[in-house]
């Protein structure tokens, strides 16, 4: 998914133009009002692509609701963050649901940073065995806690 609104709109415009051009030979022999209707249909299709709630082209510029883009520095230094600087609302909800304390979370990240694995999406996976089982914590490359769970 493309996170830049300007690039997304340019790609949709290009696709709409291509659709109009491929339909142009069939419309060449038609009168002008029919061509105007075809242009109106193409414009409506373009609007539907960019304004639809389920459209893959709809993505806010701040990245909310869009898959994260893997930054070049995600795993390039092979050094996982050794602490969490903040917690997402999702991880807070999972901590309450799964009875994970903030101390357990921070310990899993601090101690597990030596063996943390960088995932394909650029997030770090920390695993630490504790008395309640094995605690798994997922954090972004910049130290924001994303989610956590117990492996029993």
């Amino acid at each position: 998914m493309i996170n830049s609104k300007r690039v997304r709109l340019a790609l949709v415009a290009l696709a709409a133009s291509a659709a109009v051009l491929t339909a142009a030979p069939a419309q060449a022999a038609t009168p002008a009002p029919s061509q105007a209707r075809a242009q109106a249909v193409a414009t409506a299709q373009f609007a539907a692509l960019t304004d639809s709630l389920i459209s893959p082209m709809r993505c806010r510029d701040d990245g909310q609701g869009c898959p994260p883009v893997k930054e070049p520095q995600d795993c390039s230094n092979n050094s996982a963050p050794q602490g969490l600087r903040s917690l997402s609302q999702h991880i807070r909800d999972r901590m309450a649901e799964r009875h994970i304390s903030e101390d357990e979370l921070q310990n899993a990240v601090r101690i597990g940073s030596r063996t943390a694995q960088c995932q394909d999406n650029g997030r770090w996976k920390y695993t630490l065995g504790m008395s309640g089982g094995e605690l798994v914590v997922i954090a972004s490359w910049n130290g924001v806690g994303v989610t956590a769970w117990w492996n029993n």
Side-chain angles (χ1 to χ4, degrees), residues 53-69:
L53 291 175
I54 59 170
S55 169
M57 301 305 287
R58 185 180 180 95
C59 183
R60 293 179 9 197
D61 283 336
D62 63 359
Q64 294 295 318
C66 299
V69 176

Side-chain angles (χ1 to χ4, degrees), residues 70 72-82 112-119 122 124 126 141:
K70 187 173 180 180
Q73 70 264 33
D74 284 354
C75 302
S76 61
N77 63 3
N78 290 326
S79 177
Q82 296 181 1
S113 66
R114 291 175 285 209
T115 59
Q117 300 170 336
C118 187
Q119 299 178 310
W124 288 94
Y126 302 86
W141 62 271

Side-chain angles (χ1 to χ4, degrees), residues 9-20:
L9 290 176
L11 288 173
V12 170
L14 183 63
S17 297
V20 170

Side-chain angles (χ1 to χ4, degrees), residues 113-149:
S113 66
R114 291 175 285 209
T115 59
Q117 300 170 336
C118 187
Q119 299 178 310
D120 289 340
N121 61 5
R123 293 180 175 169
W124 288 94
K125 181 178 181 181
Y126 302 86
T127 307
L128 184 65
M130 297 185 171
S131 61
E134 186 178 66
L135 181 59
V136 179
V137 180
I138 305 295
S140 65
W141 62 271
N142 59 354
V144 177
V146 177
T147 192
W149 66 89

